[in-house]
Amino acid sequence: MPAVSKGDGMRGLAVFISDIRNCKSKEAEIKRINKELANIRSKFKGDKALDGYSKKKYVCKLLFIFLLGHDIDFGHMEAVNLLSSNKYTEKQIGYLFISVLVNSNSELIRLINNAIKNDLSSRNPTFMCLALHCIANVGSREMAEAFAGEIPRILVAGDTMDSVKQSAALCLLRLYKASPDLVLMGEWTSRVVHLLNDQHMGVVTAAISLITCLSSKNPDEFKTCVSLAVSRLSRIVSSASTDLQDYTYYFVPAPWLSCKLLRLLQCYPPPEDGAVKGRLVECLETILNKAQEPPKSKKVQHSNAKNAILFEAISLIIHYDSEPNLLVRACNQLGQFLQHRETNLRYLALESMCTLASSEFSHEAVKTHIETVINALKTERDVSVRQRAADLLYAMCDRSNAKQIVAEMLSYLETADYSIREEMVLKVAILAEKYAVDYSWYVDTILNLIRIAGDYVSEEVWYRVIQIVINRDDVQGYAAKTVFEALQAPACHENMVKVGGYILGEFGNLIAGDPRSSPLVQFNLLHSKFHLCSVPTRALLLSAYIKFINLFPETKATIQEVLRSDSQIRNSDVELQQRAVEYLKLSSIASTDVLATVLEEMPPFPERESSILAKLKKKKGPGAVSVELEDGKERGELNGGGDRGGDAAIAASNASTPSPSADLLGLRSTAPVSGTTPSAGSLLVDVFSEAGPSATSAGVNDDGFLSSAPPTVASEDPAPPLPESDELLNKFVCKNNGVLFENQLLQIGIKSEYRQNLGRMYLFYGNKTSVQFVSFNTTVSCPGELQSQLNVQTKTVEPLVEGGAQVQQVINIECLTDFIDAPLLNIKFRYGGALQNISLKLPVTINKFFQPTEMAAADFFQRWKQLSQPQQEAQKIFKASHGMDTEVLKAKLLGLGTALLENVDPNPENYVCAGVIQTKAQQVGCLLRLEPNAQAQMYRLTLRSSKDTVSQRVCDLLAEQF
Amino acid sequence: MIGGLFIYNHKGEVLISRVYRDDIGRNAVDAFRVNVIHARQQVRSPVTNIARTSFFHVKRSNIWLAAVTKQNVNAAMVFEFLYKMCDVMAAYFGKVSEENIKNNFVLIYELLDEILDFGYPQNSETGALKTFITQQGIKGQTKEEQSQITSQVTGQIGWRREGIKYRRNELFLDVLESVNLLMSPQGQVLSAHVSGRVVMKSYLSGMPECKFGMNDKIVIDKAGKGGVTDEVGKSDLGGGGSTSGKQSIAIDDCTFNQCVRLSKFDSERSISFIPPDGEYELMRYRTTKDIILPFRVIPLVREVGRTKLEVKVVIKSNFKPSLLAQKIEVRIPTPLNTSGVQVICMKGKAKYKASENAIVWKIKRMAGMKESQISAEIELLPTNDKKKWARPPISMNFEVPFAPSGLKVRYLKVFESKLNYSDHDVVKWVRYIGRSGIYETRC
């Protein structure tokens, strides 16, 4: 209840409240309230005038009854009457009642607005404050409409009292948050900014909240506040604790104001003016220095206030990310906090350090604390702190300490809290892959991971191991041996069985020489796990068995026996039964040659980014903070299309027979992957690029396992929206699959394959909404002379696309002769009545029709010389727009479609490639030479071909890629 | 089968806690308190399911009785048991109040042990229980008495012991009815029914065989056909107000005390029994046809502008002028924005009770075939709420000395072959009381 002066202490109200409090039951309370309401009604009847005091008393009672949860449908008029009273307490109760009880569409609002207006213009500061508080408390649109013009005037008027200014600033902030379109600052801007210079600290504190909110919306208008804020901050920081008497909180001068100033500065980049910057750096240094001083008080409030400023300052330093000295100092300061006995401080220190670790200046400094952090991971009692420690370990990991960190995280995993296990598993998997120097270590780590926390190991993780093992010849034997040993444990996780089945099926022969792991032993080991596994795993194992037949003909009889048994050939699961039947037939009918062709070893997977990273990113919440920071700008659409593609693929594979065919594989091989185009300055992506060729596609699945055709792999890549369709074209120069286009409604995925001068492109139109698209229609057109250069045939799509569904369209392309432009794809459909019309360029470029040509050095130079006419050569010298990593370059050149020729150029830094472009009219031989200059970050690209237009076009296309 | 039984006071403190089966944990006590007694919203359902446990509760004034079970029990049986439990406690120590329960907790545990075995209800007849659960503490019983208890507990007639002797054989019979009504403003009956009870108090020697007869339509019709006239008490026993001279009533459904021989009722529709000693409820019944409505309420509500309401209510008594109705109370609800009320009434006293939002009009006594009237002027406060007043019905309470269902007791014969008293020596008293249940008229 509001404080009331003596002699004004509404006895009736006190009695009523104590009556209510003394009620024994709900019923008694309701009776008492009914009685009181009847009493008030009879008093408000209107035949006799009430004095201000009783009016106030009864309005108070009504307010109390309302707050007890009863409906009040009268008394509003009396409350409004109170507003015009001259007594503070009466006015106050009137405003209180109105801010609690009056709804915005009440007819009284006009009267209320009038009363507020009167108070605002009354020049009585307390009345003005009351009115402002009421506006802020109601905060409705109507209020904003009525007063948004008035309040800024009060705020900046020279003669307004300080306390009113404070209220006005906060009131304006509230109105701005409620309806930003109504509060127009325009002319007031500069004067509001100058409030930062106000004498009164309270006004500054209130104003800075307003300015921070306004400037986060339109930073340019408020740019001037930076220098003012810096000077204000430096005055506070340099002042002695006694200078700002009323605003010193436990020996800390103006802590709230300091924090708000620092936060305001975080809305802007570092100041360009050297003097301002120097002053700011000085301030930050002083704050860091102060943290080192012995505390002036033992009270917790003192250290809280001090640390609040310190953490805000560190956030600012991290935000600027340009002062190595400060960054390192901040890091050291946080390092001290890591061992503080206050848990909250440790938590905050770990969290801030996570962001520090991503800065290149302080990364090394953060690394010095590794022991402490590991210790925190092991000994902290609070799971949220442990989680932060794990995040930090992940963030500070690099090649030098990867082994230690991964080992620590693995050992912690055994005892880790269940809530963070899955995330930990993903992190370990990513780190192990990212920093693996020695791939046997990688395999060991992941197998350990599956052993320790199998339940939390997602599909992506074990897909990834398989990809890496398949692509690395040197690790295959070791991997086979390790999985064989791991499988010998009496209880294996199912994921381990999956990895084991796959690897032994592929590379079991590498360890078959040892009598302890002879083919039959291997098979028996795998088969002993068979009955404990789920259907998908069993299907995979069946595939492994048929591979065994190919690898070890001596096991054929045993395996056929197994396949023939009723539990396989009459299995109730259609998939398993079909596999058993088909494999049995395959093994008994096909000759060894056919068998060997069908069941050939998996070809290496083309380059592809790790799908695990995408998975980690997908996990929302604070755990993903470091990842988000690192490549926040490049975050692609992670889920949407990928998942849907997967669903569709599964449906498709269920419908068709699981015979080994390239089509099937292509369909199945979609998994959500983030698209990260390598760019300088992005730590994570750089690191990924290093691991380029090994980081190959995730096209692993049980059907793909069998395929002998080169897999066409889907890679999901975010595409920019329409206007940049040229840039989009460039993205698809070196790859064939991905997300072509995406907006709120529609996602278009693309998958293409080319053979000689023919190409087939699958477009997947995914409806992202829950509403169906009607009159869905797509057309592909070849503008201008392209018509005679390309022959494009499309199949029509269904005019209806159900919500959440995906439709497929096949486009057949024939290259008649070389071409420059790209065909246009036009999509029209109706979504909820509105016509949508989207035009895109189809990513068909001349290089898609490259056939790689392998040739020796002599051969190459001979041909190079043959193509020496000036119009046959196209050359470009350009600056590197991405990193100059060898592996990435190689991958891109391969993606272009040419053969990369090793040991041809005398300079090992240079790359040479050769290929033939197949068109219907002719074949155009093409030679390429790329000479990077690491110092200057420049490339020289030379192309020679038998046709001048081709040289020029390919040169142009390729120049955009590096 | 009941898993346990708890008794709480109004604050939710546990007074009695008796667990019969292992599946009920100690935390069940708290679960009921938290979710029902202290629930934010008032729990109106008598059965509450909390974490796969069912709680059946009844409330007697401030006392909560809750039976708990995890099994799928017959809910009607559980409630029957709870009511019986209340009756047993009342028979032992009077009113079921917190203080009485606290003072008799040993007795209550003793009773609970006796009337529920492993959650299955046993003999709960007060008369029988009183022979071996006494409040006199443990006293040495003779062998004879002990064997008598044994035969009592295990015998065929568990509700009456042998060897009862009275100097004067006496018998009291009460027909208690409550009449429920909902009437439209135009005087049309929307729904009406009577639920009645026949309560007996018998002080008879030996093991008498009784036969009870009333004007049940089926019996009368059968008798009329057969031409046998064994009507004994005819209408002089009942003082009914029926002017139509109606001879029989149609009973919709009825239940009997355990002492009544149901087989005989089924075959001959005659009610014969060996009565327990003392007070008991012989039967319960319900009728819906040809109900005599003792009062008629005629409301007249007129809204004069937005700020005034005029109410006029007339009540007419509709029974023999020689009979007197008592404790008449008419409750006229008032709108929620009432700011003042003026009342004028010819008879009785009327008052506006703000705490209940109603005008309460009380009349002590009223003879049959009379009418009385009240008029009130209600002043209203204008509100900005557009909600219209819902006009709740006018309700009434009263007590009349006849059975509104028209039930009449025709005879109650007592036969005792072993002892030498006959039907004529027994002094019989019959009384009819009709009360209002929910007796409402819309206005």
Side-chain angles (χ1 to χ4, degrees), chain B residues 127-150:
Chain B
L129 284 172
K130 276 190 171 166
T131 59
F132 50 91
I133 297 176
T134 58
Q135 282 160 287
Q136 271 80 53
I138 306 157
K139 65 171 185 200
Q141 277 157 329
T142 61
K143 208 155 197 174
E144 226 167 83
E145 279 173 311
Q146 274 173 6
S147 68
Q148 201 186 343
I149 289 172
T150 312

Side-chain angles (χ1 to χ4, degrees), chain B residues 98-111:
Chain B
E98 184 179 349
E99 202 182 328
N100 279 343
I101 289 176
K102 278 181 178 167
N103 291 339
N104 293 289
F105 76 94
V106 179
L107 171 74
I108 293 174
Y109 278 115
E110 216 173 326
L111 284 170

Side-chain angles (χ1 to χ4, degrees), chain B residues 2 5 44-47 56-61 63 65-67 75-91 96 115 121 124 126 197 281 284:
Chain B
I2 297 166
L5 194 130
R44 299 177 71 181
S45 159
V47 183
F56 305 79
H57 75 264
V58 297
K59 211 179 163 196
R60 279 287 153 97
S61 64
I63 299 297
L65 270 88
M77 182 273 281
V78 177
F79 284 111
E80 188 61 39
F81 171 78
L82 287 175
Y83 287 125
K84 198 79 207 174
M85 178 71 202
C86 291
D87 291 346
V88 170
M89 288 197 290
V96 180
I115 62 180
S124 56
T126 337
R197 305 189 299 145
E281 185 184 286
R284 251 186 252 176

Side-chain angles (χ1 to χ4, degrees), chain A residues 24 27 30-32 34-35 37-38 41-42 44-47 71 73-76 106-108, chain B residues 10 40 42 335-340 352 354-357 379-387:
Chain A
K24 285 239 162 57
E27 293 77 42
I30 289 169
K31 276 191 174 173
R32 179 72 183 88
N34 279 337
K35 197 175 145 200
L37 282 175
R41 280 195 299 261
S42 68
F44 281 176
K45 218 184 306 179
D47 37 6
D71 276 339
D73 51 7
F74 64 100
H76 299 75
S106 157
E107 58 226 40
L108 289 169
Chain B
H10 73 282
R40 199 159 296 208
Q42 196 194 348
L336 292 174
N337 55 343
T338 304
S339 60
Y352 167 56
S355 59
E356 289 151 44
N357 281 323
E379 279 174 84
L380 303 176
L381 195 74
T383 63
N384 42 6
D385 231 6
K386 298 288 180 294
K387 267 186 291 178

Side-chain angles (χ1 to χ4, degrees), chain A residues 454-516:
Chain A
D455 284 341
Y456 299 89
V457 174
S458 53
E459 300 275 285
E460 285 85 353
V461 175
W462 76 263
Y463 285 176
R464 200 81 190 118
V465 193
I466 302 237
Q467 286 162 38
I468 287 177
V469 170
I470 296 223
N471 286 17
R472 293 251 139 196
D473 303 343
D474 47 340
V475 80
Q476 287 164 356
Y478 179 77
K481 188 162 159 280
T482 329
V483 273
F484 179 74
E485 278 160 12
L487 281 177
Q488 277 171 331
C492 272
H493 194 270
E494 196 169 331
N495 280 338
M496 184 69 93
V497 179
K498 287 181 188 167
V499 177
Y502 201 108
I503 290 186
L504 289 182
E506 288 290 331
F507 310 115
N509 54 338
L510 298 178
I511 55 167
D514 191 332
R516 279 168 300 169

Side-chain angles (χ1 to χ4, degrees), chain B residues 215 220 223-224 228-235 247 410-411 413:
Chain B
N215 56 344
I220 300 286
V228 185
T229 50
D230 60 347
E231 290 186 23
V232 175
K234 234 184 177 180
S235 69
Q247 294 300 311
R410 283 165 59 215
Y411 56 82
K413 291 177 195 157

